[in-house]
Structure formats: C-alpha cells, structure tokens
Amino acid sequence: MGPQPNFMTLASQLPLFLPTVPPPPCEKSGVVYTRPWAVDLVLDLAGYAPEADLVAAVAVEPAVGQGSFLGPMAERFAASCRRLGRPWMDGASAVIAYEIDPVAAQMARDVTVNRLVASGVPHRNAVELTQAWVRVGDYLVDAPRLPRADYVVGNPPYVRLEEIGAEALAYYRNAYPTMRGRADLYIAFYEAALRQLAAGGVCAFLCADRWMSNQYGTELRRLITKNYAVEVVVGMHRADAFEDDVAAYPAVTVLRRSVQEHAIVASLDPGDPNTPGLGIVPVLRGLRDGRRTEPVPGLRAARIDGWLEGADPWPCTSPERVALLRRLEAEFLPLESDATGTRVGIGVASGCDRVFITQDAESVEASRLLPLALVGDTLTGAVAWSGHYLVNPWDATGLVSLGRFPRLEAYFERHAAEIKRRHVALRRPEAWYRTIDRVDMALTARPKLYLPDMRAVIHPVLDHGDTYPHHNLYFVTSTTWDMEVLGGLLLSAVGQFFVEVYGVRMRGGWLRFQAQYLRRIRVPRPADLTPAQAMELRAAFRARDVARATSVARAIYRIGHEIPVG
Ligand SMILES: C[S@@+](CC[C@H](N)C(=O)[O-])C[C@H]1O[C@@H](n2cnc3c(N)ncnc32)[C@H](O)[C@@H]1O
C-alpha cells in the first residue's frame, strides 16, 4: 500500500453530509439513509441477533451516517449482553463504527446512547460504549489495520468516480484492486469488508445491485466466488429501502468467509409498503434448510446448489433465472469445448475500415481480397453478401511481403499515412499494414454460424463457407455439430436466456454479447439429441421459427413451461 493520504484532504474531496432535515436526496453524494425495516432485514440475515454472543463478537459498521444501523445494533447488543449476564463494558470492543463526516458521526453517537439507555444500559456506560465504538475517519484507509470482524453490516456510500478526488481515488484503487474501471466507491467498501472478515465471519450489505451484473463488478465477483460463500441475495427493485429516492436498485447481499454451500436468491416486491420485510427471514431460512414454508406476498425465492463461477454476471433480478442458469451450467457442456470440437470467435478488426474494406474488386490482386460478411449482411436470417472485401495482408503463414503483390503494395502506400497512425502500426512499425487481428485463412471456407453483436435478440445465421466475419460478428465453428441443428438451439428462447443472463444490456435494449460469455452458453452433446429433435431444430432454424425451436429446446434442457426463459 502506498503512503496514506492526508485525512483532511480525503475528507474535503469526499462529499459530506449536510445536517439538514430531511437529508438531501443524495445518491450523488454517497449519503443515502436506510429505512428501519431494511436495517432489521440486513441484521437478521447476518444473524446479528440477541441469541448470538454479541459481546465477544466484533461487529463493524463501516459508514454509519446518522446511525440507521448502529442504533438497532446497540439494542441487539444490549439484549445479548443482558441475556449472557455480562458487564456492559465487556462490549467496549464489540462494535467498530466509522463515519468520515464528524457531524453525522455525532448524530450517530446521540442515537446510539439513546438506544442503549432505552435498552436498560446506564447512561454513563452508554456514553462510554458509544465513545469506544464510533470513530471519525476513513474506513477504507483504516480497514487493513482493524481487528478481524465477525460481522460487517451496513449500507456503504455510493460515490461515482467523477466525485472522488484524484489522490483519494489513486489510494483506494491501490489498496482495493477490485475497484477497477468505472467502479463506484462501494466496490472498495465490499473488498475492505470481505478482507476484514474472520473465518466464518459475515458481511451483510444493503447496496446498489449493479456490480452483480456489470463490467465494473467483475473483479469483485471473482474475489467473492474464489474466497467467500454467497449465502443470500435479496433484490429489492420495488421495495422502498431507502429514505430518499435513489436511481440505483438496492439488494441485500450476505457473504461469508466460508465454503460455498446452498445459496438463496430472492426478490422482494412488497404488497404493503409499511411492512415490506416482515416475515421473510424465516421463509428464507426455511428455504435454505429445505423446509416447506408459507408463501409471503411479494417474495419470490429460490435455493441454488452452490454458486455461479468465476467472474460471470449474477442475474439476481430473477431467482428462477439464477436457479435455472446454475442447473444448466452444472448439467450441460459449454458451447466452446474440446469435447465437441466447437469454437467461438470474433471477426476481424482492422483499425481503419475505410482503407481495409472495399467494394472495388480491382483495387488489389484478386488473391488479396477476402469476401467479408458485415452485420448488415445477416439481417434477413441468411447471409446476403453485400460485396464488401477485406483488403487482406495475411496468408496462411503470416503477414505477406508487399514485394510479392505490387498492387497491394501500391494500395497500402497510397493510404500509408492513415493506416500508420493506428495503435497497432505504431506498436509494430515493421508490420504497419497489418489488420489488428490476424486473419485465419482456413475460416472462410468452413461452414459457421454468425451471431451479430448489439441486437436485442440472439440471431444465429448460417454461412456455408463463403465469407469471413467482420468484427461485429461472432462466429461458431464445430467439428461435431450440424450447424443448422446448433443454429436451432441458439435461436430458441433458451439461447436467448443465456445471452440475456450473460450479456450486458445497453441503453435502447441492445445486448452487448462478449465472446467469453457466448463460449459459456450451455449445450448438450450432439449425440444426446434424438434424430427427431435434431430434425425439428434444423427445420425450425431454416424457417426461423423461434417458437418451434423453443419447444424442442425445452425438452432437451428439461425446462418446464412455468420457468420464464424468454
Ligand atoms: C449511504 S450512507 C449510509 C449511512 C448509514 N449506514 C445508513 O444506512 O443509513 C454512507 C455514509 O458513509 C459515509 N462515508 C463516505 N465515505 C466514507 C469513508 N471513506 N469512510 C467512512 N464513512 C464514509 C458518508 O458520510 C455517509 O454518511
């Protein structure tokens, strides 16, 4: 870790809470307070309850604000301490609470003293406990030196990159490597909290859910799936968990430093806005333990065997989808697999399509022109080649020598200024006329499926071996699959299900596919299909009949009609 930043510099760079009442709606400033029912839900799911020994345990609230969590924690602590018959001051190290804003911290102290006194703690002890518990400072700076925690609970601040000063940002990124790309500050809070956990310790946060499926959450997901267990995720897209309107959707995540067993994914859509969290904890516990429980209005939940792998997105907005995904991942093969000789790739990027793509068949030697399929050529569902060529500087052995192709040489020399400006040419000046990607000369002649990127629905199209894909087209080749049968499977609502859960949905509803996720689409082995199923899929693909493809796919994947796949 680098030198510590000056605390006051950090504090002045971070937006501070202004003590107006009610608090400002401020997802922007990272200060959003939590409603009591949501606090109780988080504490209950964490097991921070009077039945536990909350005197010996260490509980951390890393960003207390005005004490929405700390107040109820104080009550639960007091009840536990009384039940155990321990002296109050034995709990002086039982809570570590941080707040960067001294004004908010003072309000949190007042709340805590009041709650302790109301719970029967003598005033003097209540003040002493609170003094010992609440610290004004930057949790992210201090966390690596704090004692191991049995509980880390709270609602960390949401602060976008642009609102964090350069010095603080550099410090946080260095200390918390999962805070990558456009990651919000709460990512660093997750990492700090997880690292602070003792063996068996639990981190329960109410927080924006974006990191579970977006790009900037990738490294955090990887950290969690590698070292921690996901116990519970409760998405709350419509439950009113915060005191202010916030643009982010919240979710409760319960993560433990232990081995992954079952996980519960739930989504809460409260019928009664006053008691949204009421009664759901016993239901979730029952589900976890495999007991039948009464349904709670507005709650959908599923038990998952284990958890998703690596840094894959967590489609937690729908419990049914997570459960289905997890089953399909366990039971079927990834699309790209040596076992089926199937490969997924992406077409060629040139870095300067204006020069490298032409419709002029006379521009260079005929052998240097590669028929290129563009996204627009695939829209009808068959490849309708628009007559574009790649001006191809590659052959089977590598980059061609320009001396062998005078017209190609003249063409590239004419455009030299433009193509030499490309990053790839600057990096490798001797290969200044290369495209960014190398062309795989054997690919053109192979039958393959094209999957155009950035569409609302998956759209597999068959190329009989006539064209080479441009870079917005993914392609699938296989030594064992009949391309039309595989095309039928991918065309189905099950294929769509995979790209929806793995893909990133962009503004306007487009799905950004990525080769790494297309590779993970699960498929059976070709030999596991009955001849009738293969025939149906082929016919559905030829007719571009999604419903027909879906009904075969449901049988193959054993997906009942009750599960929303499309
Ligand atoms: C989203 S609010 C949550 C407050 C409280 N936990 C609740 O749920 O109502 C986050 C709080 O974190 C504080 N904060 C921001 N950056 C911090 C940091 N680096 N260390 C400690 N507290 C911080 C903010 O001042 C704010 O009060």
Side-chain angles (χ1 to χ4, degrees):
M1 192 178 297
Q4 284 190 21
N6 173 312
F7 166 68
M8 284 323 292
T9 322
L10 274 190
S12 63
Q13 286 171 350
L14 285 167
L16 292 184
F17 166 70
L18 300 172
T20 49
V21 177
C26 43
E27 187 205 9
K28 204 168 147 247
S29 63
V31 187
V32 179
Y33 296 124
T34 311
R35 291 192 192 282
W37 71 262
V39 172
D40 283 335
L41 177 62
V42 173
L43 296 179
D44 287 349
L45 288 175
Y48 194 80
E51 303 75 55
D53 181 349
L54 302 184
V55 184
V58 174
V60 174
E61 213 298 23
V64 282
Q66 297 177 357
S68 313
F69 279 85
L70 196 56
M73 285 167 75
E75 283 173 355
R76 290 171 185 230
F77 161 83
S80 171
C81 194
R82 180 191 307 284
R83 183 181 62 77
L84 295 167
R86 301 276 300 269
W88 300 113
M89 292 314 294
D90 279 8
S93 310
V95 175
I96 301 173
Y98 267 77
E99 173 53 54
I100 205 163
D101 170 16
V103 179
Q106 190 48 48
M107 290 168 131
R109 284 196 186 104
D110 295 345
V111 166
T112 310
V113 170
N114 289 341
R115 294 286 191 104
L116 286 171
V117 170
S119 307
V121 180
H123 187 264
R124 189 171 51 82
N125 294 136
V127 172
E128 280 174 13
L129 282 175
T130 305
Q131 287 303 337
W133 290 351
V134 181
R135 309 173 187 190
V136 175
D138 186 332
Y139 171 70
L140 295 177
V141 171
D142 289 358
R145 285 182 303 282
L146 294 174
R148 293 274 177 192
D150 303 294
Y151 305 89
V152 184
V153 290
N155 159 19
Y158 314 148
V159 185
R160 282 190 275 266
L161 278 189
E162 300 72 26
E163 292 153 46
I164 308 175
E167 189 194 348
L169 184 61
Y171 182 86
Y172 294 150
R173 279 187 191 277
N174 184 41
Y176 302 105
T178 60
M179 199 183 167
R180 292 261 286 273
R182 305 234 8 100
D184 193 289
L185 188 65
Y186 68 75
I187 298 289
F189 271 78
Y190 263 104
E191 183 174 343
L194 290 168
R195 293 197 188 282
Q196 204 192 337
L197 290 180
V202 67
C203 167
F205 276 168
L206 176 70
C207 193
D209 70 357
R210 289 185 192 133
W211 66 274
M212 292 188 226
S213 54
N214 73 8
Q215 185 70 27
Y216 74 56
T218 305
E219 292 311 314
L220 180 59
R221 294 195 297 273
R222 198 190 308 282
L223 176 77
I224 293 169
T225 56
K226 187 154 175 251
N227 300 307
Y228 300 87
V230 177
E231 263 185 22
V232 184
V233 177
V234 185
M236 301 201 290
H237 270 207
R238 275 167 290 201
D240 199 6
F242 294 131
E243 299 285 4
D244 298 299
D245 284 342
V246 291
Y249 290 122
V252 178
T253 47
V254 182
L255 311 169
R256 195 177 291 279
R257 194 190 276 275
S258 69
V259 176
Q260 180 71 54
E261 290 176 7
H262 298 305
I264 301 296
V265 178
S267 127
L268 183 62
D269 177 14
D272 178 352
N274 296 318
T275 55
L278 201 69
I280 82 164
V281 173
V283 175
L284 298 182
R285 288 211 182 108
L287 190 61
R288 180 193 62 198
D289 302 338
R291 278 183 280 114
R292 278 195 74 80
T293 45
E294 287 301 304
V296 170
L299 179 73
R300 284 158 45 224
R303 185 170 92 152
I304 321 285
D305 239 346
W307 191 246
L308 306 166
E309 292 162 18
D312 287 356
W314 302 354
C316 287
T317 45
S318 159
E320 298 82 357
R321 285 187 162 216
V322 189
L324 176 60
L325 180 64
R326 173 76 199 148
R327 176 173 74 75
L328 297 183
E329 284 189 339
E331 291 180 8
F332 293 88
L333 280 178
L335 177 58
E336 179 163 287
S337 122
D338 290 341
T340 60
T342 307
R343 194 181 135 221
V344 176
I346 186 154
V348 59
S350 74
C352 184
D353 285 352
R354 242 171 49 81
V355 173
F356 283 97
I357 299 182
T358 183
Q359 283 182 294
D360 178 1
E362 302 302 320
S363 53
V364 297
E365 287 82 358
S367 68
R368 298 291 92 224
L369 288 173
L370 197 58
L372 193 69
L374 308 179
V375 167
D377 302 348
T378 65
L379 297 183
T380 60
V383 178
W385 183 52
S386 51
H388 289 89
Y389 295 97
L390 180 78
V391 178
N392 181 15
W394 305 93
D395 67 12
T397 56
L399 202 60
V400 297
S401 124
L402 289 180
R404 286 171 52 210
F405 300 99
R407 286 163 65 195
L408 182 70
E409 181 168 30
Y411 182 86
F412 282 144
E413 287 295 350
R414 264 203 312 285
H415 299 285
E418 203 170 341
I419 58 181
K420 282 184 174 172
R421 276 200 298 271
R422 297 169 310 146
H423 184 63
V424 65
L426 293 172
R427 232 182 38 225
R428 314 243 329 248
E430 77 293 349
W432 60 273
Y433 53 96
R434 61 169 288 157
T435 48
I436 294 176
D437 304 305
R438 182 176 173 157
V439 166
D440 168 5
M441 292 302 288
L443 180 62
T444 309
R446 298 190 66 176
K448 54 199 161 296
L449 291 171
Y450 287 149
L451 297 161
D453 198 2
M454 303 294 267
R455 290 183 53 102
V457 291
I458 190 167
H459 184 72
V461 173
L462 179 65
D463 173 79
H464 292 274
D466 305 317
T467 63
Y468 197 89
H470 187 225
H471 78 269
N472 280 327
L473 286 175
Y474 295 98
F475 66 84
V476 184
T477 57
S478 178
T479 54
T480 57
W481 274 103
D482 173 323
M483 283 291 130
E484 289 180 302
V485 175
L486 182 60
L489 262 190
L490 296 178
L491 182 75
S492 75
V494 184
Q496 177 70 11
F497 164 76
F498 280 109
V499 296
E500 289 204 352
V501 294
Y502 287 148
V504 177
R505 204 172 269 287
M506 315 290 282
R507 252 173 234 278
W510 306 121
L511 281 165
R512 177 93 248 233
F513 305 164
Q514 279 175 330
Q516 73 192 88
Y517 293 130
L518 292 175
R519 293 187 177 109
R520 303 186 67 96
I521 290 178
R522 291 307 201 267
V523 290
R525 288 168 197 272
D528 293 343
L529 269 53
T530 65
Q533 287 171 331
M535 225 167 68
E536 260 306 278
L537 285 172
R538 190 180 302 112
F541 180 69
R542 286 184 183 164
R544 310 231 33 103
D545 186 337
V546 176
R548 190 169 172 187
T550 301
S551 91
V552 194
R554 278 186 187 277
I556 292 169
Y557 291 99
R558 298 187 311 284
I559 298 175
H561 281 271
E562 74 284 0
I563 296 178
V565 293

